[in-house]
Amino acid sequence: MKRLSLLVLVAAGCASAPPPAPSSPAPKAAAAAPAPTPPGIDAAAMDLSVNPCDDFYQYACGNWLKATPIPPDRSTWGRGFDVIEERNQQILKEILEAAAEGKAPPGTPYAKQLGDYYATCMDESKLDNALPELRTVLRKIDRLATSRQVAEEVARLHDAGANVLFAYGSGQDYRDATQVIGIVEQGGLGLPDREYYLSDSPKMKEIREGYRAYVAQMFGLLGDAPAVAAKKADQVLEFETKLAQASLDRVSRRDPDKVYHRTDPKALVRSAPGFDWSRYFAAEGTPGVQALNVTHPPFAAEVGQLVRRAPRAQLRTYLSWRLISSQVIALPKQFSDASFAFRSKYLTGAKEDLPRWKKCVAATDLGLGEALAVPFINQTFGPDGKKVTKSMVEQIESAFQANLDTLPWMDPTTKERAREKARAVFDKIGYPEKWKTYDGLVTDRGTFLGNRTRSMAYENARDLKKIGKPLDRALWEMTPPTVNAGYQASLNEIVFPAGILQPPFFIKDATDAVNFGAMGMVVGHELTHGFDDEGRKFDGKGNLADWWTAESGKAFVDRVECVKKQFDGYVAIDDVHVNGALTLGENVADLGGLKLAFAAMQAYAKAHPDRAPPPSRFSPEQQFFLGNAQSWCTNIRPETARLYATIDPHSPAKDRVNGPLSNLPQFEQAFGCKAGDKMVAQNRCEVW
Ligand SMILES: [Zn+2]
């Protein structure tokens, strides 16, 4: 598994497909202000009836939250991410519509593939033609008998992008980041998390019954009689529950030591008998794979047991289900309607399905992302964006270095190693230096299922070819239009795709203070990930290696415990609390990111007295915190709040604002809050 810490959750395991959006209504004008509002602050979004020392999120976002309903096809709607994403999707849509008509913008690489992909995805009248192709594969699955056949079919299903039994891909060896090895990772579940299978809570039981009905409905759509379909759903639930029981929980998976088990194929065959691993690796085109990280060996052993012992009919039903479930976007409308009803409406609370074009834009971004990104970058991202971000990154990095000197809990030796690690952080900004190629990827105007299956296999082969080769640092995990940012521990790198380098994260005309609060915090957040409870276990070269003295390590653990407790105390929804252990890395990154961005802002203002802003109703310090909070204003449906509390390593937006701010004396001072106010934590937590 790649240890990629993102700024926000992507593709919530559950939403029917991609996360996009309609236009947001213009917020109502606020009452006349005494002094001008600085550019970059949205005064109309604020609720001035709220005391900022009582609930800053509500103060900064209250009117926006009230005035901005969640669009019917969305499960959450944020003033920052979602509005940008909507804009990006519109741009991508225009590029793809043109490509589908053979008129892609000049300079678009692989224009034919892009056009074929999008056009076949959009042509709903031809989706019925996918059924014969699907049935051919299902018939093959129904004839599987030997373990060799099973292993080969699992490889084909993985090629097609189906989440079956486990995942296999390439990745760096945690202990030697220069080596690219094979990774065998738990997987194969249809519900968003193992808890959905194992929890006894009435809500989870209800969801399981909903899932059972959904599985039966899908088999019914393929022609099974109700009794047969119901039996198949039972088989699926039973099979997936066994996989869930053998799966490692999300909190444990954050600990790199718990998911690092280097082995080789021979040892895997011995420790996880029952599944023909050798045949599988050969069928995936990696017969010579030497080294593997089997992230959770008991899970691999259970895969072997299940394949050997489960009745053949049950195994075939399970494999069929995982295939059907993974291809919904390419199947006739009644399949996507059923999927929407369970996965989006029921699990996330969305009222309407996404329009087809949004699904197809996201599907093309997934399949041909770096071809699609070229015209997107040409249209949206000037040299400015790269320069300004680069300078922001440098300023935050110096703030990190200066801040180290002030930390009382860290000894000089560990500080020096932290310095080295911070200096070694590799930046990726905007888009890749070297674009991926798609040479040899065959597309046509036949079925979308055909195009999609070939594209998935192409990407899978691209990934697996890296095993045993020298590491290529130039590759990107996220596509450039993505509205997110990330830190990857094994590469010790921070990534800011062009997609996020836009308002309200980066506003050309805003004051410096607003930009430091919004974008500066994002940069500080990603840098701090290199030093959160997970990132700190990796050194500057990306190796899992302990560079801490025992005493500083213990001081760190005590300090993050404070953050864990603080967030355990927040309620996500109803009786569901935020999981302080699951969200710890993100909360530490938010807290550190804000502190670094604030310090960077102060250093910048000192060095640039000529840029002092004209007087306004908010001081620069207040603007910083408002700029930050307003990039996070988010409405969320109750169903999604419940889902995210289980699967999202990030805290809810409100807590991402109020939680860290209540720890910062800089905030208390900026707004003149006092001890006893809700926004002033009784027990301040400070890590970095
Ligand atoms: Zn993060």
Side-chain angles (χ1 to χ4, degrees):
M1 80 195 262
K2 290 182 179 114
R3 308 206 72 86
L4 178 62
S5 304
L6 296 166
L7 186 66
V8 287
L9 184 69
V10 231
C14 249
S16 70
S23 60
S24 87
K28 301 223 170 59
T37 302
I41 301 290
D42 181 356
M46 300 174 66
D47 182 350
L48 298 174
S49 71
V50 175
N51 177 352
C53 297
D54 194 32
D55 183 345
F56 189 70
Y57 178 74
Q58 197 62 30
Y59 171 76
C61 296
N63 278 355
W64 185 92
L65 294 171
K66 231 182 298 167
T68 317
I70 302 173
D73 63 346
R74 300 298 304 251
S75 53
T76 70
W77 184 252
R79 188 175 168 273
F81 298 92
D82 297 302
V83 173
I84 302 179
E85 191 166 85
E86 172 70 15
R87 202 159 53 219
N88 291 355
Q89 281 218 323
Q90 287 288 348
I91 296 167
L92 297 176
K93 176 185 182 222
E94 280 161 31
I95 294 167
L96 288 169
E97 281 175 349
E101 288 171 18
K103 296 176 199 150
T108 303
Y110 307 101
K112 178 199 169 332
Q113 280 94 333
L114 286 170
D116 286 345
Y117 212 75
Y118 188 70
T120 49
C121 183
M122 284 302 291
D123 190 349
E124 289 183 271
S125 69
K126 282 202 201 143
L127 291 177
D128 283 340
N129 299 350
L131 283 183
E133 283 173 50
L134 177 69
R135 285 187 204 284
T136 305
V137 185
L138 292 177
R139 272 197 299 275
K140 208 171 135 211
I141 292 174
D142 274 337
R143 289 193 302 267
L144 293 176
T146 66
S147 59
R148 178 189 172 120
Q149 287 169 337
V150 170
E152 286 174 351
E153 189 54 33
V154 169
R156 292 293 75 78
L157 293 171
H158 283 170
D159 288 347
N163 171 14
V164 179
L165 290 174
F166 59 92
Y168 174 52
S170 73
Q172 289 164 274
D173 184 322
Y174 285 2
R175 293 209 183 272
D176 180 357
T178 62
Q179 283 191 50
V180 182
I181 62 174
I183 314 283
V184 175
E185 168 87 295
Q186 69 186 41
L189 302 182
L191 284 166
D193 187 88
R194 75 196 275 275
E195 284 306 302
Y196 282 75
Y197 297 88
L198 309 180
S199 164
D200 281 334
S201 84
K203 187 69 197 167
M204 289 300 198
K205 283 185 183 162
E206 182 199 303
I207 290 173
R208 283 199 286 278
E209 289 322 302
Y211 182 54
R212 196 186 300 275
Y214 165 58
V215 177
Q217 186 187 4
M218 295 289 259
F219 277 111
L221 288 174
L222 281 165
D224 284 332
V228 175
K231 178 151 187 260
K232 286 187 175 175
D234 291 343
Q235 290 175 326
V236 166
L237 254 296
E238 190 189 44
F239 196 95
E240 290 186 1
T241 302
K242 286 189 180 144
L243 289 176
Q245 281 161 346
S247 298
L248 196 61
D249 65 276
R250 246 169 234 270
V251 170
S252 300
R253 283 158 53 80
R254 291 196 59 246
D255 183 346
D257 290 307
K258 289 191 179 153
V259 286
Y260 179 71
H261 301 279
R262 182 169 161 138
T263 182
D264 58 52
K266 272 192 192 141
L268 178 62
V269 167
R270 280 196 305 273
S271 63
F275 181 74
D276 192 340
W277 298 98
S278 307
R279 266 324 297 165
Y280 172 82
F281 292 129
E284 281 290 30
T286 59
V289 60
Q290 302 279 322
L292 296 168
N293 177 10
V294 176
T295 58
H296 187 46
F299 184 86
E302 179 64 19
V303 165
Q305 294 265 359
L306 269 172
V307 167
R308 185 168 53 185
R309 291 197 188 147
R312 271 289 173 263
Q314 182 180 27
L315 178 64
R316 290 174 192 139
T317 301
Y318 167 76
L319 297 178
S320 302
W321 165 244
R322 299 308 314 143
L323 174 70
I324 298 161
S325 171
S326 71
Q327 302 204 320
V328 167
I329 190 174
L331 300 179
K333 190 163 181 303
Q334 56 275 31
F335 288 84
S336 40
D337 286 347
S339 168
F340 164 74
F342 177 71
R343 295 204 174 279
S344 298
K345 195 170 180 186
Y346 179 62
L347 284 185
T348 75
K351 304 291 177 220
E352 281 173 17
D353 202 358
L354 293 164
R356 184 76 189 167
W357 73 263
K358 289 186 180 176
K359 296 184 188 181
C360 292
V361 164
T364 314
D365 177 63
L366 184 70
L368 288 152
E370 288 199 14
L372 178 56
V374 173
F376 174 84
I377 290 292
N378 290 343
Q379 285 179 33
T380 59
F381 198 64
D384 256 25
K386 203 156 187 157
K387 213 175 82 195
V388 172
T389 312
K390 183 89 195 152
S391 141
M392 183 72 88
V393 169
E394 282 161 9
Q395 291 171 66
I396 300 287
E397 286 179 355
S398 350
F400 180 87
Q401 299 286 357
N403 178 58
L404 271 180
D405 291 331
T406 69
L407 300 178
W409 55 270
M410 207 176 190
D411 65 83
T413 312
T414 313
K415 276 185 185 172
E416 193 40 45
R417 290 176 189 154
R419 265 184 221 298
E420 274 170 42
K421 178 168 181 181
R423 275 197 291 265
V425 169
F426 189 80
D427 316 322
K428 286 182 174 170
I429 299 169
Y431 54 91
E433 306 266 317
K434 179 179 89 183
W435 294 102
K436 277 184 191 169
T437 59
Y438 297 89
D439 296 345
L441 172 61
V442 177
T443 59
D444 59 30
R445 295 282 166 129
T447 62
F448 182 56
L449 184 63
N451 281 334
R452 187 173 177 278
T453 304
R454 285 188 294 271
S455 152
M456 292 283 170
Y458 190 92
E459 282 305 322
N460 196 41
R462 189 204 304 273
D463 178 51
L464 293 174
K465 264 185 218 138
K466 296 178 202 159
I467 296 174
K469 305 258 168 56
L471 175 69
D472 183 354
R473 285 206 77 114
L475 293 174
W476 280 52
E477 294 282 331
M478 280 183 274
T479 64
T482 306
V483 189
N484 211 331
Y487 172 79
Q488 199 165 328
S490 292
L491 292 163
N492 191 27
E493 74 173 20
I494 50 181
V495 188
F496 306 98
I500 197 176
L501 305 176
Q502 302 188 55
F505 286 100
F506 179 73
I507 314 176
K508 243 184 173 161
D509 310 317
T511 62
D512 294 336
V514 171
N515 278 328
F516 273 102
M519 190 62 203
M521 178 274 182
V522 170
V523 175
H525 171 104
E526 298 308 339
L527 184 65
T528 306
H529 269 314
F531 304 90
D532 70 15
D533 61 318
E534 184 181 337
R536 80 171 186 103
K537 297 190 170 179
F538 292 80
D539 67 16
K541 294 195 171 79
N543 294 320
L544 183 58
D546 191 357
W547 46 273
W548 295 64
T549 61
E551 159 202 337
S552 288
K554 181 171 183 315
F556 177 92
V557 169
D558 290 345
R559 283 179 173 259
V560 296
E561 184 61 24
C562 173
V563 179
K564 180 188 168 292
K565 279 197 189 127
Q566 179 188 6
F567 281 81
D568 273 336
Y570 294 135
V571 171
I573 177 144
D574 301 338
D575 56 332
V576 184
H577 275 247
V578 173
N579 181 341
L582 177 64
T583 57
L584 185 55
E586 297 299 335
N587 297 330
V588 168
D590 282 344
L591 180 55
L594 274 160
K595 188 177 158 189
L596 292 178
F598 192 88
M601 171 186 74
Q602 288 183 318
Y604 187 79
K606 210 168 157 190
H608 299 84
D610 53 307
R611 287 183 65 91
S616 79
R617 58 195 289 207
F618 302 114
S619 70
E621 291 76 19
Q622 292 176 333
Q623 292 173 36
F624 173 90
F625 291 112
L626 282 167
N628 172 257
Q630 290 199 328
S631 62
W632 292 98
C633 308
T634 305
N635 277 316
I636 183 162
R637 297 191 191 280
E639 293 87 345
T640 304
R642 185 174 284 274
L643 167 70
Y644 281 13
T646 306
I647 65 163
D648 189 353
H650 307 90
S651 301
K654 178 185 174 163
D655 304 321
R656 290 190 77 168
V657 173
N658 286 354
L661 296 195
S662 66
N663 287 321
L664 290 176
Q666 295 91 328
F667 172 80
E668 181 184 345
Q669 222 172 8
F671 285 91
C673 307
K674 1 174 242 315
D677 286 339
K678 282 191 195 146
M679 287 299 302
V680 179
Q682 282 181 342
N683 267 336
R684 279 196 204 284
C685 305
E686 184 182 33
V687 185
W688 293 103

